[in-house]
Amino acid sequence: MIEVREVNKFYGKFQALYNVSFKANKGEILGFLGPNGAGKTTTMRIITGFMPPSSGDCIVEEISILKNPIEVKKKIGYLPENPPLYTEFTVKEYLYFVGKLKGLSKSEVNKRIDEIVEKCGIDNVYNKVISKLSKGYRQRVGIAQALLHDPKVIILDEPTIGLDPVQIREIRNLIKGLGGDHTVILSSHILPEVSQVCDRILIINKGKIVAEDTPENLTKKLEGQTKCTLILRGERNKIEEIISKYVEDLEISGNEELKINFELKSEEDLRPKIIREVIDVGGADVYEFSTEKLTLEDIFLHLVTEENEGRQ
């Protein structure tokens, strides 16, 4: 349905995207996850034809955005980070205006408005002036305008930013309902959003795709990895030498009482061996040993950190 092919983007001498390539399948909700400034919005703008790539191409239903941008735009509904609303209009007036801009006939506009108003849950504010609406309802109206011409592809850039928890849950449920009938690309830097809503996740950092998989598979890739915290008293150099036999990276703080953070990545549970050796060989007094399984957030931070270190 959507294919991004080796897209690069330069702003002067600054390169914002590096050979970005990915696909979004028909009916899929694809999460586009990354920290602020990672290149999410730039990628969205290129897919929608808002700006051209410096090189590469985007294909929507086998149509190139470079060769036939008008036809591609007809197939896309786009909600930018700041919804393109005319706040002096009522919701009814605004949606009718947008429908006519998108080339719908009067009967088509009215039919689609009836369908979209109910789908987006804005029927109770239909005759209200947009400037009087809450941010949550404005986001709903923004999504409604993106859906109005019944596009095959929907691009949503940070659709829940600035909303309260209740509004976020409502918008997430609305987005979930779009999958299947539409191909959705959801750009966000909020981990719970993509893990709860999306079928598959792309992680981008500093203009490069650093991971791509389902939320479940991304978690499984680090399944068995455990964050450990060990608090003890002992000879620092000896303790560090012992634990370093089992793990790659240690974080040690403190003087007399040491706090040691590390991660276990082996399929074998090495915790008993480490504790016995720290006590028997290292002569340490252990006060605490706590563990915690890695989460999707940890995976995200791992990937971003690794990518940042690789560029230094």
Side-chain angles (χ1 to χ4, degrees):
M1 179 62 70
I2 304 172
E3 184 177 358
V4 177
R5 298 178 178 172
E6 297 183 348
V7 166
N8 292 276
K9 182 62 181 179
F10 287 87
Y11 295 103
K13 294 182 179 180
F14 173 72
Q15 187 168 1
L17 298 178
Y18 295 80
N19 293 315
V20 170
S21 297
F22 63 87
K23 292 181 181 180
N25 302 314
K26 184 176 181 180
E28 180 179 45
I29 302 179
L30 178 66
F32 203 50
L33 175 66
N36 291 328
K40 301 186 302 295
T41 295
T42 297
T43 305
M44 301 297 98
R45 288 176 175 175
I46 290 173
I47 295 173
T48 57
F50 183 84
M51 65 168 61
S54 300
S55 64
D57 199 358
C58 297
I59 311 298
V60 178
E61 287 198 318
E62 300 183 358
I63 302 173
S64 164
I65 190 68
L66 296 179
K67 297 178 179 178
N68 203 337
I70 299 300
E71 285 304 309
V72 170
K73 289 177 183 179
K74 289 179 182 179
K75 298 179 180 294
I76 294 177
Y78 181 36
L79 175 66
E81 187 174 338
N82 297 308
L85 305 178
Y86 291 101
T87 56
E88 69 274 18
F89 285 11
T90 65
V91 173
K92 176 182 178 180
E93 292 168 340
Y94 171 70
L95 292 178
Y96 187 84
F97 174 71
V98 170
K100 297 299 290 181
L101 280 180
K102 294 186 176 184
L104 301 179
S105 67
K106 183 176 180 179
S107 61
E108 288 174 331
V109 171
N110 289 328
K111 181 182 178 182
R112 285 298 295 163
I113 286 177
D114 289 341
E115 295 170 355
I116 293 305
V117 162
E118 182 178 355
K119 188 168 190 174
C120 293
I122 53 176
D123 47 321
N124 58 329
V125 296
Y126 183 55
N127 291 303
K128 289 189 177 182
V129 177
I130 292 174
S131 64
K132 304 296 183 182
L133 301 182
S134 67
K135 185 168 178 59
Y137 272 115
R138 291 190 189 194
Q139 289 294 91
R140 287 175 177 268
V141 175
I143 293 174
Q145 65 80 27
L147 295 173
L148 195 56
H149 59 302
D150 197 20
K152 298 292 184 182
V153 174
I154 301 169
I155 309 290
L156 305 174
D157 192 0
E158 303 280 4
T160 63
I161 192 168
L163 303 184
D164 65 38
V166 174
Q167 293 169 334
I168 289 173
R169 185 174 64 248
E170 291 171 348
I171 295 297
R172 284 178 185 167
N173 289 335
L174 174 57
I175 295 169
K176 281 183 183 179
L178 298 176
D181 296 329
H182 308 272
T183 300
V184 181
I185 297 182
L186 169 63
S187 169
S188 179
H189 66 277
I190 303 172
L191 286 158
E193 194 150 84
V194 294
S195 61
Q196 293 174 23
V197 173
C198 300
D199 303 309
R200 192 160 51 91
I201 295 174
L202 287 172
I203 298 179
I204 187 172
N205 185 50
K206 294 194 173 182
K208 294 179 68 176
I209 302 295
V210 296
E212 177 181 354
D213 215 326
T214 64
E216 295 80 9
N217 286 343
L218 281 173
T219 303
K220 284 180 181 178
K221 285 179 180 179
L222 290 183
E223 195 172 44
Q225 296 193 27
T226 306
K227 294 189 295 184
C228 300
T229 299
L230 180 60
I231 299 176
L232 53 78
R233 286 178 179 267
E235 186 180 332
R236 181 176 181 138
N237 291 338
K238 185 180 292 186
I239 300 302
E240 184 174 0
E241 181 181 349
I242 291 170
I243 301 178
S244 294
K245 293 191 300 184
Y246 301 100
V247 301
E248 294 179 0
D249 298 308
L250 291 176
E251 292 181 6
I252 302 179
S253 59
N255 294 313
E256 293 184 6
E257 185 171 286
L258 304 177
K259 182 178 181 180
I260 306 172
N261 294 313
F262 57 92
E263 291 176 7
L264 293 175
K265 302 180 181 181
S266 172
E267 293 182 2
E268 179 188 358
D269 188 353
L270 297 173
R271 290 175 295 176
K273 288 184 178 180
I274 292 174
I275 289 295
R276 280 197 298 268
E277 195 163 342
V278 162
I279 295 173
D280 296 341
V281 179
D285 295 322
V286 176
Y287 296 104
E288 181 180 332
F289 189 23
S290 58
T291 61
E292 181 182 353
K293 290 293 184 181
L294 293 182
T295 64
L296 184 60
E297 182 174 5
D298 297 314
I299 297 168
F300 172 65
L301 293 173
H302 262 269
L303 292 167
V304 169
T305 301
E306 288 174 3
E307 179 66 18
N308 287 343
E309 290 174 347
R311 288 180 178 227
Q312 290 177 357

